[in-house]
Amino acid sequence: MKKLTDFFYAAALALAGCCAFSSCSDDEEEVLKSWNLTINLNCLDDMAFDNLSDLQVILSNGNGFADTLQMDGSSTSVTVSQGQYNLVASGKVMDEAAAYASGTASVDVYADAVVSVNLNKVIESPIIFKAIYSTGGKSGYVVDQYFEIVNNSDEVQYLDQLILSSPTGKQSQPNAWQANGYTDIYECGQGVVIAFPGTGTDYPLQPGESIVLANDATNHSEAAGEGNNCPDLSNADWEVYISNVSAEADYPAPNVEVIFQNNAYMRAFGLGFFGRGYIIARCPEGMTPQEFAANSDNIMTTPGTTSTTEYLMIPSQYVLDAVDIWEADATEHYGTFLAKDDAEGVLASEAWTGKCVRRKVSRIENGRVYYQDTNNSANDFLTGQDLTPGETPTAVD
């Protein structure tokens, strides 16, 4: 009797095991079931697919699955296992230097499914001004200015063909161009417009790395004479050398290129002891700074006046970063730039004190500093700073 009982007991266990195995097999089959997912992208903010490059969708779920889908249009289909998925879409707006397309969505896939992702325009520059020193370290000494430029992104960027210029700035009412309807283009000159050399990938800037561009790459604390607060720029990475200006010296640092000049007597770039606007710009792909500057369609005299002084007009859509520095002693200010480029200005440091305006630190991750960039200089910059050229801040502001 015991043996028979043992037999039935063993049989019951075996049957239970078979049932369990059958149940697991059914579960596995259910998990592995696949469905068709159609992804549709919608352009908002006046964007168009034929003006987007590097368009992609990252598709992922909570089980470690992730796939990057390269998009060549507004729609694609993919076969996926059932489950819940997140989508992150991105692309580059081709005719705007700092504009990107970005969108997110989520979808449950337990049958054939369709998901739409709305793409919004995001203004975000990978290359920005970190610090601008334009106050002068000694009254009347005008060649000790410098500009520090940083790669604020997580990918390698390139200095090649970046344009720097200084629109008028420091105004209490619309300038002549704004008053005459030119609100999305900036008059540039104020002596010279400059650009970094290179063909595209000659001068890489690693994530978090910055360079110092000096008007004169020398030790100004010695050159300016007694009683100065001038910086030592002998180790600057680049300098502005204006070869046709009397008394201009060419120091060992590599030179940026002068692509436009409207004042053959000004021996420095971007003088702004009491305030000025500054921009970093990039031409659309396929156009060099030299070609842009040589095109007469991009040059204007001051509207509404008889002045013959010419300016190189740089469109807002070419601008990567803009910093408006307002005169500290003025009671009224009017913005130099469109709000998307720079909504408000930072007050200038006190002239002749050797101070700079420096961008705030937003966060520090594993020793890497990230700088605040809200396209509003009043929020993003600190004035009256003692930052040494090339120095990295060590705390969040």
Side-chain angles (χ1 to χ4, degrees), residues 130-163:
K130 170 185 165 183
I132 298 174
Y133 170 91
S134 59
T135 63
K138 183 177 181 180
S139 183
Y141 191 80
V142 300
V143 291
D144 60 334
Q145 296 183 312
Y146 70 84
F147 305 84
E148 193 160 0
I149 297 170
V150 64
N151 177 359
N152 205 40
S153 77
D154 292 325
E155 299 178 356
V156 177
Q157 303 295 325
Y158 296 91
L159 293 170
D160 300 56
Q161 302 181 15
L162 285 182
I163 298 172

Side-chain angles (χ1 to χ4, degrees), residues 355-368:
K355 308 288 185 179
C356 72
V357 297
R358 192 260 293 169
R359 194 178 289 269
K360 295 176 183 177
V361 174
S362 61
R363 70 185 193 277
I364 300 176
E365 295 181 1
N366 299 319
R368 158 75 191 281

Side-chain angles (χ1 to χ4, degrees), residues 10-31:
L13 287 177
L15 181 60
C18 289
C19 290
F21 180 81
S22 175
S23 176
C24 289
S25 298
D26 290 344
D27 288 345
E28 281 189 356
E29 183 179 350
E30 189 72 17
V31 168

